[in-house]
Structures are given as C-alpha cells and as structure tokens.
Amino acid sequence: MTPLEWLVAASARAPLPDDEIRARLAPSLVDGSGGPAGINAALASVGPLTILAKGGSENRVPVRGPAGDYLLTVHVDDAGLVDDLQLTPDDLKPASWAEIDARLAGLGKRVSFAAAEIDGGQSRIVHGLDADTLRPIGSAFKLYVLGALAQAVVEGRASWDEPLAIRDDWKSLPSGTMQNHPAGTEFPLSEFARLMISISDNTATDHLIHRLGRDAVERQLALFGHQRPEANVPFRTTKAFFRHKTPSGQLWPAPVDIDEVEWFASPADVCRAYAGLLRFDQPEVGNALSRNDDGLDLDATAFPEVWYKGGSEPGVVTLHYLARTAGGGRRAVSLMVSDPESTLDTLPLIAEAQPVIRGAFHLLA
C-alpha cells in the first residue's frame, strides 16, 4: 500500500493509534500538526475519503469526501514517510472581487487579504480587505530573512556558496531537519535559505539570523517598505519564539499571545516584500521560493512560475504567493487569518482558502 493509499484508507478509521501515525508520517508533519491528536482532528474534520477513478499518480490523486471532490497530494521523504500533504478542493473561478470577499468572510474571525500587481519592482494593490492591517504572520517572516541574505550578497557581506557550520546553541525546534545534524556540519548559505523557505526549517532560519545579524533583518523590513518595522524589533529567532510559547518544549494546543509574541506584517507589506525579492534578480531567491507551492496547483500554462511562503501556529494561518504570468507579469496574493482565542483547523482552512487564492490570481490575470 502506497503512503497515499494508506492515507485515504486511514481517513475512514480515525482516530488512529499514535504508533500507526508515527510509523507512516514524518515527525516534522506530526509535531507541526499538534501531534497525533492534531492529525486525528484533521482527519475527522475532513471525513472519509475515497479515490475517484478519473486518474492520478502515486503521489497525487483525485478523491471524494463528505464535503465534495478534492485533489490529494502527498510528499514522501527519503525514509518513505509522508512529510507534507495537501487537500485541494475542486473550485469554480469567481466572477468578481465581491465574490472573493464573500468567500473570504467565511474563513475566520480576523481575515486580511491583498491581491497585487508587481511591475518594475513595485507593488500596486488591486484589491484588498484590511490590506494594511498588521497581523501575526508566523513563518512568513522568513521572507525578510531571505531578503537580508540576498541584500548581504549584493553588498559583498556574504555569498551564496559561503559555508556555515551547524552550532548546537543555534539549533531550534522543528519544522525542519537541520537540527538533526551534528555541530560542525557545514552547508552553503544557499542550502540554509532553500530549507528555510521550502520546508520552513527553523534551525536553518536561526543560523541565518545569527550569521547576518538581527540588525540586518530589521533593516530589511524597512528596505522592503514594511509600514511598521518597529513592531518586529528586536527581531526574534525561532528559538526565542518557542521559549516563550512552550517553556517545556512541547507543542501548545491553543493560541498563546499571538498579538504580542509573533512576527508582524500586513498583506500589503508582504506583497512589497515579494516585490523587493524580485528586484534582487538572484536565481537562488527564486530557487528557494519555487520549491513548494503547498498544493495551490495554479494552471502552469497561465502561471509557469509560483513562489510561496506560509506560516502558522495555533490561532494563526497565513498564505503568501507570487506568480509569473505566461506574458511575464508578476502577481502577488497574501492571505492572513488569525484568532487570539480559538485554534484554527489548519488543514481544512487551507483547503478552503486555496480556491479563493486561485480565484484571485484568475482575476488578477
């Protein structure tokens, strides 16, 4: 039975025992989802799935659930464990921004959104919903760390192939894999950047923050046109973030100070950050950002290149995309959902949000 077939079969048997979950899913996915209880909660919210007969592949297949039809995609690591999965619903293209707003309203208690055109390295908001409202953004702050690294390369203070050794005192908690390497193991800065963005590696992120200096990342906020850089000063490492949220080193089940201890930006800020990253015109930036679209699955003929970074913790889900059109134009969409009092069901929320994001790109194009 393939990992995908197991997942479909398991959806009808939830709750699953802890040992079965850990035998099939990578620790980064289990721990990042709130442990086995979080996995079982996600399976229960989706309901039993069945594979449809209209095609698919070993890692991607159309399925049907109680709420409709979906495309189920899994990624398997070198050990054969599922370390990422997306459940993307079939959707109709919206006819107007008013329809987009109506669908956004159902996503959560606090929703902020921006859809932008990027031309000449400048971002212009085409449509927004609280687009200038500062929100917690989770791991999307790593866009600014990536920008600080690219800026250091431009200014001759770093190079993409510069080796950096793993340090035990710079290690953080998952998501990611770099925390598993022994101290002294060296990787080029480009590898730290790739893992920081593509799998949101927290240890890779903290190593880059320490290598570049917090002041360099804080400076990048202003260089990218962030409306309130001071909201992120002093700039936190992920290790410091976890120390506040979970002193015992365990995942926390409910929102903890998401409006006080986080990283903050508005959707318009994130669109400007994407514009700033484009201005560098450095292949390593695009390489890091284009490895993983989190299952958005835009039409590749209309959008041949897609950049993505998201972020989440209990009470916070954010999704941020930039796509290149077939004609060479750039479009960006930033969505932020947060609730300081209630935990958001991350996987179902993303499954509901991605059709709205695809619809926004359709309107932007």
Side-chain angles (χ1 to χ4, degrees), residues 197-211:
I197 299 298
S198 63
I199 63 170
S200 208
D201 194 302
N202 291 322
T203 291
T205 303
D206 284 5
H207 277 67
L208 287 176
I209 293 173
H210 287 296
R211 163 60 183 84

Side-chain angles (χ1 to χ4, degrees), residues 70-238:
Y70 303 85
L71 186 66
L72 176 62
T73 306
V74 302
H75 182 271
V76 179
D77 66 13
D78 293 340
L81 302 177
V82 175
D83 61 3
D84 192 23
L85 61 91
Q86 297 93 35
L87 193 64
T88 308
D90 287 345
D91 53 286
L92 299 175
K93 292 182 173 63
S96 67
W97 290 112
E99 186 176 341
I100 291 286
D101 287 347
R103 295 170 71 173
L104 287 171
L107 293 181
K109 185 174 182 178
R110 302 191 314 195
V111 179
S112 297
F113 173 85
E117 292 180 349
I118 296 177
D119 184 32
Q122 301 299 316
S123 171
R124 182 182 70 85
I125 302 299
V126 174
H127 183 77
L129 178 66
D130 288 337
D132 291 314
T133 300
L134 216 63
R135 298 290 195 203
I137 61 173
S139 286
F141 82 88
K142 294 167 185 176
L143 293 173
Y144 293 100
V145 181
L146 180 62
L149 174 57
Q151 189 73 38
V153 171
V154 167
E155 295 175 355
R157 296 181 287 106
S159 64
W160 292 106
D161 59 0
E162 173 191 325
L164 180 64
I166 297 290
R167 290 177 47 162
D168 284 337
D169 57 332
W170 290 356
K171 287 183 178 180
S172 184
L173 298 176
S175 56
T177 59
M178 274 198 162
Q179 73 278 358
N180 300 325
H181 294 290
T185 307
E186 291 188 344
F187 298 94
L189 295 185
S190 59
E191 180 69 0
F192 284 89
R194 182 183 70 82
L195 293 177
M196 173 179 69
I197 299 298
S198 63
I199 63 170
S200 208
D201 194 302
N202 291 322
T203 291
T205 303
D206 284 5
H207 277 67
L208 287 176
I209 293 173
H210 287 296
R211 163 60 183 84
L212 298 166
R214 293 174 191 243
D215 57 338
V217 185
E218 293 166 1
R219 173 182 175 229
Q220 203 61 40
L221 292 162
L223 290 174
F224 277 173
H226 191 290
Q227 62 177 320
R228 283 184 55 201
E230 65 275 11
N232 296 289
V233 176
F235 201 88
R236 286 186 176 86
T237 61
T238 68

